[in-house]
Amino acid sequence: MSEEGMAGTGKGGLRPDLVVAGAGGGLAGALRAAELGLRVLVVEASPHYAHGNNTAMSTAMVPGAGSRWQTEAGIDDSPEIFLADVLAKTKGMADRAVSHALTEVGARLVTWLADYVGLPMELATDIPYPGHTNFRCHTVPGRSGAKMLAGLIAKADADPRIDILAPARLVDAQPADDGLAAVIEFPDGSRETVDCGALLLATNGYGANREMVERYIPEIAGATYHGSAESRGDALRIGLGLGAQADCLDAYQGHAALAVPYATLLGWATMMHGGILVNNEGRRFGNESRGYSEYAAEVLAQPGGTAIAVIDDYIFEKCRPFDDFRATVEAGALKWAESVEELADLFGLDAAKLAATMADARASSEEGKADAFGRSWWPHTLSGRLAGVRVTGALFHTQGGLRVDEHAAVLRQDGTRVGHLYASGGAAVGMSGHGASGYLAGNGLLPALGLAFLAAEDAARLARSAS
Ligand SMILES: Cc1cc2nc3c(=O)[nH]c(=O)nc-3n(C[C@H](O)[C@H](O)[C@H](O)COP(=O)(O)OP(=O)(O)OC[C@H]3O[C@@H](n4cnc5c(N)ncnc54)[C@H](O)[C@@H]3O)c2cc1C
């Protein structure tokens, strides 16, 4: 919906109970709030949000522990096991309240996405993501964030309690009687102030703000940024201006398998099904099963800042369910070779060194024991014809942000709430601790959808108790 016909205050000119800034994961908050009877105004900065934001760009993996899909698949999982995985991956540095709340809500969230939003959710049981004890990532066919977001948008468009105002940017927020005043700017520079009961900052982090990335995460500042152009740090600026505390600002999700120069996602399923990464000298340089986020910096540290992912026909077939993988193939990034020598030739590598690397990897896989890099995950031994894809390490999104409680309410340093203000997704502190290595698959979308969902429930509860 465009701004035309809008008084800026929701359908029928009524004051919105909740303003949601950002139509990515924030739409889960808008929908849940409307389901609970609130009037919602969504303000979205980009006219291209349906394809341009991070939720749309994602592989749509949402973890939920103890879901009905897991029960049907005979998987015995629980929020406690999931929380233990989060704490192990983050070395205990993840925000406890947020991690606890999100590991608890995950199963309820994916069930709601299926039953209320109508998304065709399924459990991904073909790809074991590093750090997850169990198969618990739920997704949609094609593993496409754009398809997931399309379902959320369609449901919101059909809801008489929700207005989506786009393009319109939240530029400021101020305290107001019984709520907040959201200052919204339109593309022509005009501004409107909207009084609302509560405000959810769902505008993502600051990945597109080069100056902030250099300040908070210098180790990844030189990497390709592969995320929403609108992740400019607006939530952080607005929240801090209202007295909030921020935490874990050095946390980020990197990815070690962005195809160059195509800027498409090869995906880590390639490695988890038995592929390897070699550098421009034809050598492996680490344990690929450790995690794609932290591996981004390791790829960037190699000569030329790139590496070659090596897979075979078996892995190719295993990765076909991913839209991103197929797009990478269609872009022409993947080159087949009948022999190791031909593969070396295609990528300008030393054939003898690559042959030695391949022999070592195959031996480790066949022996099934940890190699020199500590990799013991070898579900398949590379064989037959081989394919290579040149990849680089990329920054996908920042993970730290405004400190929130278990209801996604934004907190001050003293632990009290910044009244009526909530944050979700890249705008909030998240569950990845510090740096890149705390990222578990799903740590992006679960805080995006889950914190928005929890914020909506809290805002509805407070609205009920105030009336
Ligand atoms: C290629 C890729 C694959 C990924 N795969 C996964 C995955 O499988 N699982 C997972 O958990 N995570 C994944 N992630 C991470 C995940 O996509 C993000 O963590 C998550 O989508 C962030 O959601 P969000 O709502 O915070 O931000 P977004 O989805 O980016 O939404 C924020 C919205 O706010 C708008 N906006 C910005 N500023 C303003 C403003 N001032 N006013 C109004 N609107 C504004 C933006 O235009 C945007 O539409 C992936 C990321 C990438 C790039």
Side-chain angles (χ1 to χ4, degrees):
M1 183 177 297
S2 79
E3 73 239 39
E4 279 158 58
M6 292 287 307
T9 52
K11 276 190 177 129
L14 295 170
R15 173 186 190 256
D17 300 304
L18 177 68
V19 167
V20 176
L27 285 178
L31 284 163
R32 181 67 176 143
E35 185 189 6
L36 296 172
L38 302 190
R39 285 183 304 275
V40 184
L41 175 65
V42 180
V43 295
E44 166 52 55
S46 169
H48 311 295
Y49 67 98
H51 293 282
N53 67 27
N54 267 44
T55 301
M57 292 172 77
S58 78
T59 28
M61 293 288 168
V62 187
S67 76
R68 70 171 185 244
W69 292 269
Q70 287 183 308
T71 305
E72 281 161 17
I75 296 167
D76 187 15
D77 200 11
S78 69
E80 291 74 27
I81 301 173
F82 184 11
L83 180 61
D85 287 348
V86 169
L87 294 177
K89 190 78 168 71
T90 59
K91 299 187 172 62
M93 292 188 294
D95 183 287
R96 292 290 169 123
V98 170
S99 303
H100 185 264
L102 288 174
T103 50
E104 282 288 333
V105 83
R108 193 158 66 88
L109 174 71
V110 294
T111 304
W112 176 83
L113 289 171
D115 296 349
Y116 181 73
V117 181
L119 290 171
M121 301 302 290
E122 58 189 29
L123 183 67
T125 53
D126 55 334
I127 155 92
Y129 279 107
H132 282 293
T133 299
N134 290 310
F135 290 118
R136 61 167 74 99
C137 283
H138 300 72
T139 186
V140 292
R143 286 115 198 251
S144 154
K147 288 178 186 160
M148 175 176 276
L149 185 61
L152 291 165
I153 294 171
K155 185 79 177 170
D157 276 343
D159 194 316
R161 289 198 181 87
I162 301 177
D163 275 318
I164 301 180
L165 192 56
R169 178 178 294 278
L170 178 80
V171 289
D172 202 0
Q174 293 143 9
D177 289 344
D178 299 328
L180 284 166
V183 184
I184 296 161
E185 186 173 282
F186 298 100
D188 65 2
S190 63
R191 289 189 174 193
E192 187 172 346
T193 299
V194 178
D195 279 343
C196 54
L199 172 63
L200 170 61
L201 299 171
T203 58
N204 209 336
Y206 54 85
N209 184 325
R210 196 170 174 76
E211 189 268 320
M212 288 177 80
V213 174
E214 277 170 0
R215 186 179 343 144
Y216 295 120
I217 327 177
E219 73 177 47
I220 201 74
T224 304
Y225 172 59
H226 188 70
S228 165
E230 300 295 336
S231 295
R232 300 172 4 171
D234 288 353
L236 196 60
R237 177 180 55 75
I238 292 168
L240 293 177
L242 286 168
Q245 187 191 12
D247 206 359
C248 298
L249 290 179
D250 61 335
Y252 71 96
Q253 184 202 350
H255 205 295
L258 186 74
V260 281
Y262 307 93
T264 55
L265 183 62
L266 176 66
W268 212 241
T270 50
M271 298 298 117
M272 296 309 287
H273 284 305
I276 58 171
L277 279 180
V278 297
N279 64 16
N280 283 326
E281 292 166 349
R283 299 183 205 278
R284 283 179 58 227
F285 46 92
N287 172 1
E288 298 89 344
S289 68
R290 202 154 56 85
Y292 48 83
S293 178
E294 57 267 51
Y295 223 72
E298 297 201 32
V299 170
L300 290 168
Q302 300 310 305
T306 65
I308 293 103
V310 181
I311 65 169
D312 61 8
D313 274 302
Y314 169 87
I315 298 172
F316 181 87
E317 288 304 321
K318 286 284 192 184
C319 294
R320 281 166 68 88
F322 289 85
D323 281 3
D324 287 326
F325 178 79
R326 293 199 306 277
T328 300
V329 174
E330 279 158 25
L334 191 122
K335 297 180 175 42
W336 285 103
E338 294 301 327
S339 64
V340 173
E341 294 69 31
E342 190 186 344
L343 189 69
D345 194 42
L346 282 172
F347 289 94
L349 309 180
D350 181 308
K353 285 183 184 153
L354 182 62
T357 298
M358 293 297 301
D360 281 352
R362 285 172 173 148
S364 299
S365 175
E366 276 156 12
E367 288 165 20
K369 59 182 188 197
D371 65 9
F373 302 107
R375 177 169 176 173
S376 54
W377 179 259
W378 295 105
H380 163 75
T381 303
L382 287 164
S383 60
R385 66 175 187 151
L386 299 168
V389 179
R390 188 171 290 281
V391 295
T392 190
L395 168 63
F396 275 11
H397 64 110
T398 57
Q399 286 262 282
L402 300 171
R403 211 180 128 215
V404 294
D405 68 10
E406 68 275 25
H407 304 291
V410 174
L411 299 176
R412 295 190 181 83
Q413 191 162 11
D414 64 7
T416 59
R417 285 185 173 198
V418 176
H420 313 280
L421 188 66
Y422 297 89
S424 60
V429 66
M431 58 194 293
S432 296
H434 293 276
S437 60
Y439 188 84
L440 272 175
N443 274 18
L445 285 175
L446 183 55
L449 301 165
L451 287 176
F453 184 84
L454 291 169
E457 294 188 341
D458 195 66
R461 186 178 57 78
L462 291 181
R464 266 197 308 273
S465 61
S467 64

